[in-house]
Amino acid sequence: MESFVIPPQAEAWHQEPQPLRYLFPCLAPSSDLFCSCSLCHRYHGEGYQEGYVEGSCLGMTEGRQYGVSHGAKIGSEVGCYQGFAFTWKCLLAQCPTEKDSKKRKMLDSFLGMVQKFPYADPTCAQLHEDLDRIRGKFKQVCSLLSIQPNFKVNSGGSALSF
């Protein structure tokens, strides 16, 4: 059974449909199967390459957006810790007492950890370990100061409440 195609420039009642073998010589019965397979491989390869390039571009864009978003969340969290430490350090400096010396030392240690956090190097191998240590130290400081923090990151920004 032979397939027929009507050329787009001709009207159906003016020209007879032509068999596909005239339009695509590779599909003629006399040609070998290798010709049609090589066409298939060529178009498959071209499609793969085009898809790979487009996917790479989209992947880079999505990865960059995710990195910016995640980096902003971490930066916001560490910034809140730093503001918290500076605020409490100033509050404790206004009325220095002997029992507050331990609190000041703990705040100085906490502030040192926050200031040593590798902001500029997102490829740092210990970035997440340092962040976990800062979070743990923050909990210790809050316990020592007898406060219960509630740090939230949402679409409207970050918030640290007590």
Side-chain angles (χ1 to χ4, degrees):
M1 181 183 280
E2 196 166 18
S3 299
F4 291 93
V5 164
I6 299 174
Q9 70 275 13
E11 303 217 12
W13 58 84
H14 289 268
Q15 276 187 321
E16 289 294 318
Q18 297 182 8
L20 287 175
R21 68 173 180 242
Y22 294 120
L23 297 173
F24 302 105
C26 252
L27 297 178
S30 62
S31 69
D32 61 354
L33 189 57
F34 178 74
C35 184
S36 62
C37 286
S38 66
L39 273 177
C40 208
H41 286 291
R42 181 179 137 210
Y43 290 121
H44 174 73
E46 287 176 7
Y48 175 82
Q49 288 299 324
E50 289 174 10
Y52 184 82
V53 168
E54 188 173 337
S56 295
C57 289
L58 288 174
M60 291 289 284
T61 303
E62 286 181 21
R64 187 174 294 120
Q65 288 173 348
Y66 177 77
V68 166
S69 171
H70 194 67
K73 287 178 186 175
I74 290 175
S76 177
E77 181 180 356
V78 174
C80 280
Y81 293 150
Q82 188 173 19
F84 169 84
F86 278 133
T87 302
W88 274 98
K89 190 173 178 180
C90 288
L91 289 172
L92 292 175
Q94 288 178 356
C95 315
T97 62
E98 194 63 35
K99 64 180 181 176
D100 290 339
S101 65
K102 184 176 181 182
K103 294 176 185 178
R104 283 193 299 273
K105 286 180 186 176
M106 183 75 85
L107 278 169
D108 287 336
S109 170
F110 177 62
L111 197 54
M113 289 175 70
V114 169
Q115 290 173 340
K116 290 179 186 174
F117 187 75
Y119 298 104
D121 186 15
T123 60
C124 180
Q126 293 184 343
L127 182 105
H128 292 289
E129 289 97 18
D130 289 348
L131 187 58
D132 288 338
R133 281 191 211 107
I134 289 173
R135 288 174 179 153
K137 190 68 149 183
F138 176 69
K139 289 177 184 178
Q140 286 179 343
V141 169
C142 287
S143 175
L144 187 63
L145 295 172
S146 302
I147 55 174
Q148 295 195 355
N150 186 12
F151 182 81
K152 294 179 186 175
V153 177
N154 56 22
S155 61
S158 62
L160 181 63
S161 61
F162 304 98

CSV table of all heavy atoms in Angstrom, one decimal, residues 41-87:
chain,number,residue,atom,x,y,z
A,41,HIS,N,18.5,8.4,13.0
A,41,HIS,CA,19.6,8.7,13.9
A,41,HIS,C,20.1,10.2,13.9
A,41,HIS,O,20.3,10.8,14.9
A,41,HIS,CB,20.8,7.8,13.6
A,41,HIS,CG,20.6,6.4,14.1
A,41,HIS,ND1,20.5,6.0,15.4
A,41,HIS,CD2,20.4,5.3,13.4
A,41,HIS,CE1,20.3,4.7,15.5
A,41,HIS,NE2,20.3,4.2,14.3
A,42,ARG,N,20.1,10.7,12.6
A,42,ARG,CA,20.5,12.1,12.5
A,42,ARG,C,19.5,13.0,13.2
A,42,ARG,O,20.0,13.9,14.0
A,42,ARG,CB,20.5,12.5,11.0
A,42,ARG,CG,21.0,13.9,10.8
A,42,ARG,CD,21.0,14.2,9.3
A,42,ARG,NE,20.5,15.5,9.2
A,42,ARG,CZ,19.8,16.0,8.1
A,42,ARG,NH1,19.6,15.2,7.1
A,42,ARG,NH2,19.3,17.2,8.1
A,43,TYR,N,18.2,12.8,13.0
A,43,TYR,CA,17.3,13.7,13.6
A,43,TYR,C,17.2,13.5,15.1
A,43,TYR,O,17.0,14.4,15.9
A,43,TYR,CB,15.9,13.6,13.0
A,43,TYR,CG,15.8,14.2,11.6
A,43,TYR,CD1,15.5,13.4,10.5
A,43,TYR,CD2,16.2,15.5,11.4
A,43,TYR,CE1,15.5,13.9,9.2
A,43,TYR,CE2,16.2,16.0,10.1
A,43,TYR,CZ,15.8,15.2,9.0
A,43,TYR,OH,15.8,15.8,7.8
A,44,HIS,N,17.4,12.2,15.5
A,44,HIS,CA,17.4,11.9,17.0
A,44,HIS,C,18.6,12.6,17.6
A,44,HIS,O,18.5,13.3,18.7
A,44,HIS,CB,17.5,10.4,17.2
A,44,HIS,CG,17.7,10.1,18.6
A,44,HIS,ND1,16.6,10.2,19.5
A,44,HIS,CD2,18.7,9.6,19.3
A,44,HIS,CE1,17.1,9.8,20.7
A,44,HIS,NE2,18.3,9.4,20.6
A,45,GLY,N,19.8,12.6,16.9
A,45,GLY,CA,21.0,13.2,17.5
A,45,GLY,C,20.8,14.7,17.5
A,45,GLY,O,21.2,15.3,18.5
A,46,GLU,N,20.3,15.3,16.5
A,46,GLU,CA,20.1,16.7,16.5
A,46,GLU,C,19.1,17.2,17.5
A,46,GLU,O,19.3,18.2,18.2
A,46,GLU,CB,19.6,17.2,15.1
A,46,GLU,CG,20.6,17.2,14.0
A,46,GLU,CD,20.1,17.6,12.6
A,46,GLU,OE1,18.9,18.0,12.6
A,46,GLU,OE2,20.8,17.4,11.7
A,47,GLY,N,18.0,16.4,17.7
A,47,GLY,CA,17.0,16.7,18.7
A,47,GLY,C,17.6,16.6,20.1
A,47,GLY,O,17.4,17.4,21.0
A,48,TYR,N,18.5,15.6,20.3
A,48,TYR,CA,19.1,15.4,21.6
A,48,TYR,C,20.0,16.6,21.9
A,48,TYR,O,20.0,17.1,23.0
A,48,TYR,CB,19.9,14.1,21.6
A,48,TYR,CG,20.7,13.9,22.8
A,48,TYR,CD1,20.1,13.4,24.0
A,48,TYR,CD2,22.1,14.2,22.9
A,48,TYR,CE1,20.8,13.2,25.1
A,48,TYR,CE2,22.8,14.0,24.0
A,48,TYR,CZ,22.2,13.5,25.2
A,48,TYR,OH,22.9,13.4,26.3
A,49,GLN,N,20.8,17.0,20.9
A,49,GLN,CA,21.8,18.1,21.1
A,49,GLN,C,21.0,19.4,21.4
A,49,GLN,O,21.4,20.1,22.4
A,49,GLN,CB,22.7,18.3,19.9
A,49,GLN,CG,23.7,17.2,19.7
A,49,GLN,CD,24.7,17.1,20.9
A,49,GLN,OE1,25.0,18.1,21.5
A,49,GLN,NE2,25.0,15.9,21.3
A,50,GLU,N,20.0,19.7,20.7
A,50,GLU,CA,19.2,20.9,20.9
A,50,GLU,C,18.5,20.8,22.3
A,50,GLU,O,18.5,21.8,23.0
A,50,GLU,CB,18.1,21.0,19.9
A,50,GLU,CG,18.6,21.4,18.5
A,50,GLU,CD,17.5,21.4,17.4
A,50,GLU,OE1,16.3,21.3,17.8
A,50,GLU,OE2,17.9,21.5,16.3
A,51,GLY,N,18.0,19.7,22.7
A,51,GLY,CA,17.4,19.5,24.0
A,51,GLY,C,18.4,19.6,25.1
A,51,GLY,O,18.1,20.2,26.2
A,52,TYR,N,19.6,19.1,24.9
A,52,TYR,CA,20.6,19.2,25.9
A,52,TYR,C,21.1,20.6,26.1
A,52,TYR,O,21.2,21.0,27.3
A,52,TYR,CB,21.8,18.3,25.5
A,52,TYR,CG,22.9,18.2,26.5
A,52,TYR,CD1,22.8,17.3,27.6
A,52,TYR,CD2,24.0,19.1,26.4
A,52,TYR,CE1,23.8,17.3,28.5
A,52,TYR,CE2,25.0,19.0,27.4
A,52,TYR,CZ,24.9,18.1,28.4
A,52,TYR,OH,25.9,18.1,29.4
A,53,VAL,N,21.3,21.4,25.1
A,53,VAL,CA,21.7,22.8,25.2
A,53,VAL,C,20.6,23.6,25.9
A,53,VAL,O,20.9,24.3,26.8
A,53,VAL,CB,22.0,23.4,23.8
A,53,VAL,CG1,22.2,24.9,23.9
A,53,VAL,CG2,23.3,22.7,23.2
A,54,GLU,N,19.4,23.4,25.5
A,54,GLU,CA,18.3,24.1,26.1
A,54,GLU,C,18.1,23.7,27.6
A,54,GLU,O,17.9,24.6,28.5
A,54,GLU,CB,17.0,23.9,25.4
A,54,GLU,CG,15.9,24.8,25.9
A,54,GLU,CD,14.6,24.7,25.0
A,54,GLU,OE1,14.7,24.3,23.8
A,54,GLU,OE2,13.5,25.0,25.6
A,55,GLY,N,18.2,22.5,27.9
A,55,GLY,CA,18.1,22.0,29.3
A,55,GLY,C,19.3,22.5,30.1
A,55,GLY,O,19.1,22.8,31.3
A,56,SER,N,20.5,22.6,29.6
A,56,SER,CA,21.6,23.1,30.3
A,56,SER,C,21.4,24.6,30.7
A,56,SER,O,21.7,25.0,31.8
A,56,SER,CB,22.9,23.0,29.5
A,56,SER,OG,23.2,21.6,29.3
A,57,CYS,N,20.9,25.3,29.7
A,57,CYS,CA,20.6,26.8,30.0
A,57,CYS,C,19.5,26.9,31.1
A,57,CYS,O,19.7,27.7,32.0
A,57,CYS,CB,20.2,27.5,28.7
A,57,CYS,SG,21.5,27.7,27.5
A,58,LEU,N,18.5,26.1,30.9
A,58,LEU,CA,17.4,26.2,31.9
A,58,LEU,C,17.9,25.7,33.3
A,58,LEU,O,17.5,26.3,34.3
A,58,LEU,CB,16.2,25.4,31.5
A,58,LEU,CG,15.4,26.0,30.3
A,58,LEU,CD1,14.3,25.0,29.9
A,58,LEU,CD2,14.8,27.3,30.7
A,59,GLY,N,18.7,24.7,33.3
A,59,GLY,CA,19.3,24.2,34.6
A,59,GLY,C,20.1,25.2,35.3
A,59,GLY,O,20.1,25.4,36.5
A,60,MET,N,21.0,25.9,34.5
A,60,MET,CA,21.8,27.0,35.1
A,60,MET,C,20.9,28.1,35.7
A,60,MET,O,21.2,28.6,36.7
A,60,MET,CB,22.7,27.5,34.0
A,60,MET,CG,23.8,26.6,33.5
A,60,MET,SD,25.0,26.3,34.8
A,60,MET,CE,25.9,27.8,34.6
A,61,THR,N,19.9,28.5,34.9
A,61,THR,CA,19.0,29.5,35.4
A,61,THR,C,18.3,29.1,36.7
A,61,THR,O,18.3,29.8,37.7
A,61,THR,CB,18.0,29.9,34.3
A,61,THR,OG1,18.7,30.3,33.2
A,61,THR,CG2,17.1,31.0,34.8
A,62,GLU,N,17.7,27.9,36.7
A,62,GLU,CA,17.0,27.4,37.9
A,62,GLU,C,18.0,27.2,39.1
A,62,GLU,O,17.7,27.6,40.2
A,62,GLU,CB,16.3,26.1,37.6
A,62,GLU,CG,15.1,26.2,36.8
A,62,GLU,CD,14.4,24.9,36.5
A,62,GLU,OE1,14.7,23.9,37.3
A,62,GLU,OE2,13.7,24.8,35.6
A,63,GLY,N,19.2,26.7,38.8
A,63,GLY,CA,20.2,26.6,39.8
A,63,GLY,C,20.6,27.9,40.4
A,63,GLY,O,20.8,28.0,41.7
A,64,ARG,N,20.8,28.9,39.6
A,64,ARG,CA,21.2,30.2,40.1
A,64,ARG,C,20.1,30.8,40.9
A,64,ARG,O,20.4,31.3,42.0
A,64,ARG,CB,21.5,31.1,38.9
A,64,ARG,CG,22.0,32.5,39.3
A,64,ARG,CD,22.4,33.3,38.1
A,64,ARG,NE,23.6,32.7,37.4
A,64,ARG,CZ,23.6,32.3,36.1
A,64,ARG,NH1,22.5,32.5,35.4
A,64,ARG,NH2,24.6,31.8,35.6
A,65,GLN,N,18.8,30.6,40.5
A,65,GLN,CA,17.7,31.2,41.3
A,65,GLN,C,17.6,30.5,42.7
A,65,GLN,O,17.4,31.1,43.7
A,65,GLN,CB,16.4,31.0,40.5
A,65,GLN,CG,16.3,32.0,39.4
A,65,GLN,CD,15.0,31.7,38.5
A,65,GLN,OE1,14.4,30.6,38.7
A,65,GLN,NE2,14.7,32.6,37.6
A,66,TYR,N,17.8,29.1,42.6
A,66,TYR,CA,17.8,28.4,43.9
A,66,TYR,C,18.9,28.8,44.8
A,66,TYR,O,18.7,29.0,46.0
A,66,TYR,CB,17.8,26.9,43.6
A,66,TYR,CG,17.8,26.1,44.9
A,66,TYR,CD1,16.7,25.9,45.6
A,66,TYR,CD2,19.0,25.6,45.4
A,66,TYR,CE1,16.7,25.1,46.8
A,66,TYR,CE2,19.1,24.8,46.6
A,66,TYR,CZ,17.9,24.6,47.3
A,66,TYR,OH,17.9,23.9,48.4
A,67,GLY,N,20.1,29.0,44.3
A,67,GLY,CA,21.2,29.4,45.1
A,67,GLY,C,21.0,30.8,45.7
A,67,GLY,O,21.4,31.0,46.8
A,68,VAL,N,20.5,31.7,44.9
A,68,VAL,CA,20.3,33.1,45.4
A,68,VAL,C,19.2,33.0,46.5
A,68,VAL,O,19.4,33.6,47.6
A,68,VAL,CB,19.8,34.0,44.3
A,68,VAL,CG1,19.2,35.3,44.8
A,68,VAL,CG2,20.9,34.3,43.3
A,69,SER,N,18.2,32.2,46.3
A,69,SER,CA,17.1,32.1,47.3
A,69,SER,C,17.6,31.5,48.6
A,69,SER,O,17.4,32.0,49.7
A,69,SER,CB,16.0,31.3,46.8
A,69,SER,OG,15.0,31.0,47.8
A,70,HIS,N,18.3,30.4,48.5
A,70,HIS,CA,18.9,29.7,49.7
A,70,HIS,C,19.9,30.5,50.4
A,70,HIS,O,20.0,30.6,51.6
A,70,HIS,CB,19.4,28.3,49.2
A,70,HIS,CG,19.7,27.4,50.4
A,70,HIS,ND1,18.6,26.9,51.1
A,70,HIS,CD2,20.8,26.9,50.9
A,70,HIS,CE1,19.2,26.1,52.1
A,70,HIS,NE2,20.5,26.1,51.9
A,71,GLY,N,20.8,31.2,49.6
A,71,GLY,CA,21.8,32.0,50.2
A,71,GLY,C,21.2,33.2,50.9
A,71,GLY,O,21.7,33.6,52.0
A,72,ALA,N,20.1,33.7,50.4
A,72,ALA,CA,19.4,34.9,51.1
A,72,ALA,C,18.9,34.4,52.4
A,72,ALA,O,18.9,35.1,53.4
A,72,ALA,CB,18.4,35.4,50.2
A,73,LYS,N,18.3,33.2,52.4
A,73,LYS,CA,17.7,32.7,53.7
A,73,LYS,C,18.8,32.5,54.7
A,73,LYS,O,18.7,32.9,55.9
A,73,LYS,CB,17.0,31.4,53.4
A,73,LYS,CG,15.7,31.5,52.7
A,73,LYS,CD,15.1,30.2,52.5
A,73,LYS,CE,13.8,30.3,51.6
A,73,LYS,NZ,13.3,29.0,51.2
A,74,ILE,N,20.0,31.9,54.3
A,74,ILE,CA,21.1,31.7,55.3
A,74,ILE,C,21.6,33.0,55.7
A,74,ILE,O,21.9,33.3,56.9
A,74,ILE,CB,22.1,30.8,54.7
A,74,ILE,CG1,21.6,29.4,54.5
A,74,ILE,CG2,23.4,30.8,55.5
A,74,ILE,CD1,22.6,28.4,53.8
A,75,GLY,N,21.8,34.0,54.8
A,75,GLY,CA,22.3,35.3,55.2
A,75,GLY,C,21.4,36.0,56.1
A,75,GLY,O,21.8,36.7,57.0
A,76,SER,N,20.1,35.9,55.9
A,76,SER,CA,19.1,36.5,56.8
A,76,SER,C,19.2,35.9,58.2
A,76,SER,O,19.1,36.6,59.2
A,76,SER,CB,17.7,36.3,56.2
A,76,SER,OG,16.7,36.9,57.0
A,77,GLU,N,19.3,34.6,58.2
A,77,GLU,CA,19.4,33.9,59.5
A,77,GLU,C,20.6,34.4,60.3
A,77,GLU,O,20.6,34.7,61.5
A,77,GLU,CB,19.4,32.4,59.3
A,77,GLU,CG,19.4,31.6,60.6
A,77,GLU,CD,19.4,30.1,60.4
A,77,GLU,OE1,19.3,29.7,59.2
A,77,GLU,OE2,19.5,29.4,61.4
A,78,VAL,N,21.8,34.3,59.6
A,78,VAL,CA,23.0,34.7,60.3
A,78,VAL,C,23.0,36.2,60.7
A,78,VAL,O,23.5,36.6,61.7
A,78,VAL,CB,24.2,34.3,59.4
A,78,VAL,CG1,25.5,34.9,60.0
A,78,VAL,CG2,24.3,32.8,59.2
A,79,GLY,N,22.4,37.0,59.8
A,79,GLY,CA,22.3,38.4,60.1
A,79,GLY,C,21.4,38.7,61.4
A,79,GLY,O,21.7,39.6,62.2
A,80,CYS,N,20.4,37.9,61.5
A,80,CYS,CA,19.5,38.0,62.7
A,80,CYS,C,20.3,37.6,64.0
A,80,CYS,O,20.2,38.3,65.0
A,80,CYS,CB,18.3,37.2,62.6
A,80,CYS,SG,17.0,38.0,61.6
A,81,TYR,N,21.1,36.6,63.8
A,81,TYR,CA,22.0,36.2,65.0
A,81,TYR,C,22.9,37.3,65.3
A,81,TYR,O,23.1,37.6,66.5
A,81,TYR,CB,22.7,34.9,64.6
A,81,TYR,CG,21.9,33.7,64.4
A,81,TYR,CD1,22.3,32.6,63.6
A,81,TYR,CD2,20.7,33.5,65.1
A,81,TYR,CE1,21.5,31.5,63.4
A,81,TYR,CE2,19.9,32.4,64.9
A,81,TYR,CZ,20.3,31.4,64.1
A,81,TYR,OH,19.6,30.2,63.9
A,82,GLN,N,23.5,37.9,64.3
A,82,GLN,CA,24.5,39.0,64.6
A,82,GLN,C,23.8,40.2,65.3
A,82,GLN,O,24.3,40.7,66.3
A,82,GLN,CB,25.2,39.4,63.3
A,82,GLN,CG,26.3,40.3,63.5
A,82,GLN,CD,27.1,40.6,62.3
A,82,GLN,OE1,26.6,40.4,61.2
A,82,GLN,NE2,28.3,41.1,62.4
A,83,GLY,N,22.7,40.6,64.8
A,83,GLY,CA,21.9,41.7,65.4
A,83,GLY,C,21.5,41.3,66.8
A,83,GLY,O,21.6,42.2,67.7
A,84,PHE,N,21.1,40.1,67.0
A,84,PHE,CA,20.7,39.7,68.3
A,84,PHE,C,21.9,39.8,69.3
A,84,PHE,O,21.7,40.3,70.4
A,84,PHE,CB,20.2,38.2,68.2
A,84,PHE,CG,20.0,37.5,69.5
A,84,PHE,CD1,18.9,37.6,70.3
A,84,PHE,CD2,21.0,36.7,70.1
A,84,PHE,CE1,18.7,37.0,71.5
A,84,PHE,CE2,20.9,36.0,71.3
A,84,PHE,CZ,19.7,36.2,72.0
A,85,ALA,N,23.0,39.3,68.9
A,85,ALA,CA,24.2,39.3,69.8
A,85,ALA,C,24.6,40.8,70.1
A,85,ALA,O,25.0,41.1,71.2
A,85,ALA,CB,25.4,38.6,69.1
A,86,PHE,N,24.7,41.6,69.1
A,86,PHE,CA,25.0,43.0,69.3
A,86,PHE,C,24.1,43.7,70.2
A,86,PHE,O,24.5,44.5,71.1
A,86,PHE,CB,25.1,43.8,68.0
A,86,PHE,CG,26.4,43.6,67.2
A,86,PHE,CD1,26.4,43.3,65.9
A,86,PHE,CD2,27.6,43.7,67.9
A,86,PHE,CE1,27.5,43.2,65.2
A,86,PHE,CE2,28.8,43.6,67.2
A,86,PHE,CZ,28.8,43.3,65.8
A,87,THR,N,22.8,43.5,70.0
A,87,THR,CA,21.8,44.1,70.9
A,87,THR,C,21.9,43.7,72.3
A,87,THR,O,21.9,44.5,73.3
A,87,THR,CB,20.3,43.7,70.4
A,87,THR,OG1,20.2,44.1,69.1
A,87,THR,CG2,19.3,44.4,71.3
